[in-house]
């Protein structure tokens, strides 16, 4: 039943924005932004569901192992250290980056919201973090982003725009060989933009 609810949630995550951008009163730019955000959220929620499915299986396996070793007294809570041992078998060289909170205690709304706004598509229980903001690194990222934007503008203005302008007569005349030639010429610059 949980898988059906995840599937319904993921389907609605894609279908509702698609329907709104199709039948709603949105400009093209707003529709594109809405669909990009919906696709990103879809991928993030898929990763969230798959990671927690694996963590549920690891939790069940850890509980079975701990139950087989020594049965807990009646009314005792489960010790999740065996879950940590099970998970650590799969991540031997990874350093712990957060507290020892594991699967049942990590399914919270703040963690989901952190993951939704974090710049990653792959969910983890603990994301690696540096102890402080490194201003030189942040500046280098901003500089790289600016340089890439300038390169995109340069390629668009110098290569793509003239090719599109020169292909207008072929579109009007419906000259398929000429259109195919223009399409092939557009393939390279569009790859880098």
């Amino acid at each position: 039943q949980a898988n059906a609810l995840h599937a319904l949630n993921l389907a609605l995550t894609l279908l509702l924005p698609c329907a709104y951008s199709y039948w709603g009163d949105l400009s093209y730019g707003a529709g594109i932004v809405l669909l990009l955000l919906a696709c990103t959220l879809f991928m993030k929620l898929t990763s969230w569901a798959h990671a927690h499915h694996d963590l549920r299986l690891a939790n069940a396996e850890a509980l079975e192992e701990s139950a087989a070793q020594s049965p807990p007294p009646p009314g005792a809570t489960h010790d999740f250290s065996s879950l940590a041992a099970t998970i650590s078998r799969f991540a031997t060289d990874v350093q712990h980056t957060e507290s020892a909170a594991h699967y049942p205690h990590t399914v919270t709304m703040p963690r989901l919201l952190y993951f939704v706004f974090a710049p990653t598509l792959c969910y983890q229980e603990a994301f690696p973090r540096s102890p402080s903001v490194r201003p030189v690194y942040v500046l280098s990222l901003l500089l790289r982003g600016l340089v890439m934007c300038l390169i995109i503008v340069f390629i668009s203005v110098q290569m793509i725009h003239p090719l599109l302008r020169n292909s207008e007569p072929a579109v009007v005349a419906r000259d398929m060989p000429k259109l195919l030639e223009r399409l092939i010429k557009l393939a390279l610059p569009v790859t880098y933009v």
Side-chain angles (χ1 to χ4, degrees):
Q1 183 178 356
N3 288 337
L5 289 176
H6 280 303
L8 178 66
N9 184 27
L10 292 174
L12 289 177
T13 301
L14 284 180
L15 294 177
L16 289 178
C18 287
Y20 185 72
S21 67
Y22 185 73
W23 286 296
D25 188 24
L26 286 178
S27 66
Y28 289 119
I32 288 172
V33 169
L34 176 66
L35 293 177
L36 283 174
L37 290 174
C39 288
T40 303
L41 184 63
F42 170 80
M43 290 186 280
K44 284 181 178 252
L45 290 177
T46 302
S47 175
W48 172 270
H50 284 229
H52 280 95
H53 174 73
D54 292 342
L55 290 170
R56 257 192 311 278
L57 292 178
N59 186 26
E61 183 181 323
L63 291 176
E64 286 175 8
E65 285 179 10
S66 66
Q69 291 172 359
S70 62
T77 59
H78 294 290
D79 180 24
F80 294 105
S81 60
S82 59
L83 176 61
T86 304
I87 292 172
S88 68
R89 281 189 297 172
F90 301 108
T92 55
D93 296 332
V94 177
Q95 297 176 355
H96 292 291
T97 56
E98 210 171 279
S99 65
H102 288 294
Y103 165 65
H105 307 291
T106 58
V107 183
T108 61
M109 189 57 95
R111 284 185 181 256
L112 176 62
L113 289 175
Y114 177 82
F115 173 58
V116 166
F117 291 108
T120 182
L121 290 176
C122 300
Y123 176 75
Q124 300 177 36
E125 278 195 311
F127 292 99
R129 297 179 183 172
S130 60
S132 64
V133 176
R134 300 173 293 182
V136 174
Y137 180 68
V138 171
L139 184 64
S140 74
L141 287 177
L142 290 173
L143 211 64
R144 283 187 234 167
L146 179 66
V147 167
M148 290 309 299
C149 287
L150 291 174
I151 289 173
I152 288 171
V153 168
F154 176 78
I155 290 174
S156 298
V157 169
Q158 292 295 319
M159 299 179 83
I160 295 174
H161 183 68
L163 280 170
L164 290 175
R165 197 170 356 103
N166 292 338
S167 64
E168 284 179 24
V171 171
V172 172
R174 297 178 192 227
D175 185 8
M176 288 302 165
K178 191 83 161 174
L179 284 174
L180 185 61
E181 173 195 350
R182 295 294 176 188
L183 185 65
I184 292 171
K185 283 185 177 181
L186 274 173
L188 183 65
V190 169
T191 301
Y192 294 108
V193 171

